[in-house]
Amino acid sequence: RFPRERLQEDIDAILATGVEVKMNQNIGTEEMKEIHKFYDATYVAIGAHTDKKLGLEGEDSKNVISAVDMLREIGDGKYPDYTGKRVVVVGGGNVAMDCARTAIRANAETVSIVYRRRQEDMTALPAEVEGAVAEGIELVTLKAPLRVEADAEGNACALWVQPQMISKIRGGRPAPKTAQKAEVLIPCDLIVVAIGQGIETRYFEEHGVTVKRGTIEALDTSEIKDHKGIFAGGDCVTGPATVIRAIAAGKVAAANIDEYLGFHHQITSDVEIPYAGYEDKEPCGRVEVALRDAADRKKDFEPIEYGFSCEEACQESGRCLRCDHFGFGSFRGGREEKW
């Protein structure tokens, strides 16, 4: 959903510093060896760009697609047309919400999100769930996917699910268990699998990089243990997370690579930063950004937020917690805790 124009501006600003980009390069075990020989330091930031499978019977049927592929196509400007289609999205995270809200904008007849836990257990941001419901998307909760049914042409035509019931608390939240109820058939024309993203670690693992539970294992300094000069960060280390965390990881790695190469560059500023005090701060509620009406916004791919008015922006900026002061630690040679 991030405007490509804004992203390109950021990329252009980075390239303007003299960064060299080599496009369309295969990275395998041998390539990693060559890179390690030629360069003094290597930072691995490959993200999490592969999809995860449900492992269900019939999952290879036509019209069963991954959220990763769907959203990548849209990111490249190839918008789908789901006119008249019944779309089922499997998952309960922000990516599932992205897919469902995209499908409704692609003129789908109906869109349903199938999730094996309760609505309150969804990992998606509450605002995303509320936004999806407001746009007419159905939440089918406490239903675990069982198998995909295909027609004579091999096209997915239904998803069979098993009703669940909430049970004992595990990992900090109630876990679902199979309920003694009959299987349920959900007719559909398209199934989107949005149960998480994977990381292409194979060649790095073959190179000797430690991989644990599907992610690259890095030290607090971002360096790979027993591999001097190789650093890693972002989603390939933390697992799928936010852009903010990935940017923070990159800044931490840059500072530590600078130290590793024998430098100790200091980030300085000739701007006098005021003292970070709270004496003049009064408790004030957060101003929420106004949204376009759901009936209108679901018809297009334009931004759904109006932004702040001048009055709202001034009040909200008065709540600033001085990240310029208290968030400065990640620039200074490393970090005390994992990001």
Side-chain angles (χ1 to χ4, degrees), residues 66 155 209:
S66 75
N155 296 307
V209 172

Side-chain angles (χ1 to χ4, degrees), residues 27-336:
I27 305 296
T29 308
E30 294 305 314
E31 288 82 1
M32 274 298 294
K33 290 179 181 177
E34 291 302 313
I35 290 172
H36 193 41
K37 287 180 183 177
F38 187 79
Y39 293 94
D40 296 311
T42 305
Y43 180 57
V44 180
I46 59 173
H49 294 288
T50 62
D51 58 337
K52 287 188 176 180
K53 303 293 184 182
L54 288 166
L56 302 180
E57 175 188 342
E59 187 176 11
D60 295 329
S61 302
K62 299 173 186 174
N63 294 337
V64 178
I65 63 175
S66 75
V68 173
D69 291 338
M70 175 187 180
L71 297 178
R72 181 182 291 127
E73 287 284 299
I74 293 170
D76 291 336
K78 301 172 185 176
Y79 292 88
D81 182 7
Y82 296 153
T83 302
K85 292 185 180 295
R86 299 163 297 176
V87 179
V88 167
V89 178
V90 180
N94 286 322
V95 173
M97 299 303 148
D98 265 352
C99 292
R101 299 179 77 175
T102 294
I104 208 76
R105 285 162 173 74
N107 301 315
E109 181 179 325
T110 62
V111 180
S112 303
I113 295 175
V114 174
Y115 186 56
R116 67 192 185 99
R117 298 177 185 264
R118 304 169 301 175
Q119 178 177 338
E120 53 263 45
D121 300 322
M122 288 182 165
T123 57
L125 295 171
E128 289 292 327
V129 180
E130 292 167 10
V133 172
E135 292 167 7
I137 294 164
E138 179 187 16
L139 301 183
V140 183
T141 56
L142 289 173
K143 300 289 189 298
L146 280 179
R147 61 185 177 279
V148 175
E149 184 173 314
D151 59 20
E153 285 75 41
N155 296 307
C157 61
L159 177 67
W160 283 93
V161 296
Q162 173 64 53
Q164 305 288 294
M165 64 178 288
I166 213 63
S167 184
K168 297 178 181 179
I169 294 178
R170 295 174 185 168
R173 58 177 178 164
K177 72 175 185 179
T178 301
Q180 300 302 313
K181 297 180 181 179
E183 299 174 2
V184 176
L185 177 71
I186 303 177
C188 59
D189 304 298
L190 178 71
I191 298 174
V192 183
V193 180
I195 59 170
Q197 295 154 252
I199 300 158
E200 298 182 68
T201 60
R202 174 187 167 190
Y203 294 112
F204 298 97
E205 195 168 10
E206 289 179 358
H207 184 60
V209 172
T210 303
V211 174
K212 182 180 287 186
R213 295 178 183 174
T215 61
I216 294 174
E217 189 173 30
L219 301 173
D220 286 355
T221 59
S222 302
E223 193 169 10
I224 303 297
K225 185 178 180 181
D226 299 326
H227 286 270
K228 292 293 182 182
I230 302 181
F231 298 74
D235 285 5
C236 66
V237 171
T238 62
T242 64
V243 172
I244 296 298
R245 291 185 72 186
I247 293 172
K251 290 180 176 179
V252 166
N256 285 315
I257 289 172
D258 182 67
E259 296 286 330
Y260 170 77
L261 295 177
F263 301 103
H264 190 68
H265 292 108
Q266 295 292 316
I267 297 176
T268 60
S269 172
D270 56 4
V271 176
E272 186 176 347
I273 302 176
Y275 166 74
Y278 296 103
E279 294 82 0
D280 61 341
K281 300 290 184 183
E282 294 184 6
C284 182
R286 177 178 177 173
V287 177
E288 299 294 341
V289 177
L291 303 177
R292 293 170 57 201
D293 184 75
D296 292 328
R297 72 185 188 226
K298 71 178 186 179
K299 296 176 182 177
D300 56 48
F301 286 90
E302 295 302 311
I304 67 173
E305 298 176 339
Y306 282 119
F308 287 143
S309 66
C310 182
E311 178 187 19
E312 291 170 332
C314 288
Q315 178 174 304
E316 191 64 11
S317 63
R319 299 175 64 244
C320 176
L321 298 179
R322 291 298 304 276
C323 296
D324 61 317
H325 177 81
F326 295 103
F328 189 62
S330 62
F331 288 95
R332 293 182 291 191
R335 60 180 184 275
E336 294 180 3

